[in-house]
Amino acid sequence: MSTEQPLRVRERLSEVRYEIRGELNRRAHALEAAGRKLIKLNIGNPGAFGFRAPAHLQRAIVDHIDHTDPYTHQLGLPAAREALASAYRARNAPHVDSDRVFVGNGVSELIDMTLRALLNPGDEVLVPSPDYPLWSAATILNDGRPVYYRCAPDNGFMPDPVEIENLVSSRTRAIVLINPNNPTGAVYPRELLERIVAIAARHGLLLLVDEIYDQVLYDGAAFEPLAPLAGDHPCITFSGLSKVHRACGWRVGWAILTGAPSRTADYRNALDLLSGLRLCANVAGQYAIAAATGGPDTISALCAPGGRLYETRRAVVEACAASGHLRLVQPRGALYAFPSVVGPAARGFDDHAFALELLETEDVLIVPGSSFNVPYHDHFRVTLLPQAETMREVFVRIERALDRRAEAATKVVPLKSRNAAA
Ligand SMILES: Cc1ncc(COP(=O)(O)O)c(C=O)c1O
């Protein structure tokens, strides 16, 4: 047998995509290395756009840095878990106990861990389409199968509970909700959430709710935490410091297991085991958790008129309204807008080719909508993190690129050259 065979990788990786940091991002790096100045709107990374984590959170880490050398308890620092337990109790989450609070290296690690503790090969997870693609990837890499329920643009990107229930099979184990939603910015009303809880209860499904943008809300949008609505029904709520507290690089996230302890004891123990196998999460960042849950609100002002996120969102909303080529369901929460291309520019439109063209010709990096596991190819995502002025410039460039496309699509080819081409 030859020893020079290329190393084979896990087969199911071919089903996994993460375009947010994929081929387009690599091309952007190459262009930057060649001296081009790009506007990169592909990652919701506040620190890369000049945002800082709140000073009281930084101080909490600095003050405790002498205590960060050893591993800590596998579930997380006891004081941090107590702080989280009381914060979620204050939101009326039922059965919260610090023994069912799991601190991880970002929500990312906990998404993987919670699915790994749940799935057997071939099990199905109901995932929104569009989704934050880690949810699909983690399902696949833990031997499961994502089954998509639509959050259609013409329904304001809201899911349809009837469709969700129709997708339940004997293999379905969980329903994933992302609220407020990445990439669409949809914020789900209470009545909708209650209907989804009822489906989970009827079919014995675990509710997995990603609430990492829970306080990033615009224009009076009301956020409804799922755990209180789920009551005794098993539910895991995910959140962390990355977005609301603008500290992506600290890698601090948490998962709160709620629901009747008698129904969740085995699952809790499985998560305890998996937490132990990875020893513990980054300790330094955990010292900021109690400061975050007990400290002042530093996000609302950014999301209110005059605030930086609000004004950038306004710039996107106005640019899309003025555009001859774009349609937008206004984001009501989170850090993104997800517009679609309509009219002549949309003829034969391919979101990936457009993103590449925009990068090459206009120095703007966006994420094609199809990266978020949707079957259509006419959307794209931008993050709302740059300054409003930068965003206005971005949409001037997008409009220019779409004008070119519309012109090419509507150009009447003279009969003579048509014959010549034939
Ligand atoms: C919906 C959603 N969930 C999870 C994450 C990952 O968060 P973390 O930085 O805590 O790993 C992100 C990051 O963009 C996200 O948008």
Side-chain angles (χ1 to χ4, degrees), residues 106-108 111 132 178 182 210 212-213 242-243 251-252 336:
V107 166
S108 303
I111 289 175
Y132 174 63
I178 305 171
N182 174 11
D210 185 339
I212 196 166
Y213 299 102
S242 288
K243 311 294 174 170
R251 311 308 301 126
V252 178
Y336 314 92

Side-chain angles (χ1 to χ4, degrees), residues 151 155-159 177-193 196 209-211 213-225 303 313 329-336:
C151 299
N155 194 31
F157 290 120
M158 296 291 164
L177 292 168
I178 305 171
N179 180 40
N181 191 271
N182 174 11
T184 67
V187 178
Y188 299 161
R190 183 189 174 111
E191 191 258 325
L192 174 64
L193 295 172
I196 296 172
V209 63
D210 185 339
E211 296 181 352
Y213 299 102
D214 59 0
Q215 294 169 59
V216 186
L217 301 163
Y218 310 102
D219 284 344
F223 164 73
E224 284 284 347
C303 301
R313 171 179 167 275
V329 177
Q330 292 190 16
R332 309 215 55 223
L335 296 176
Y336 314 92

Side-chain angles (χ1 to χ4, degrees), residues 248-278:
C248 288
W250 296 0
R251 311 308 301 126
V252 178
W254 52 83
I256 317 283
L257 175 62
T258 54
S262 58
R263 295 177 62 189
T264 49
D266 288 349
Y267 186 64
R268 192 219 82 89
N269 293 342
L271 288 176
D272 191 16
L273 172 65
L274 294 181
S275 301
L277 287 172
R278 64 84 164 99

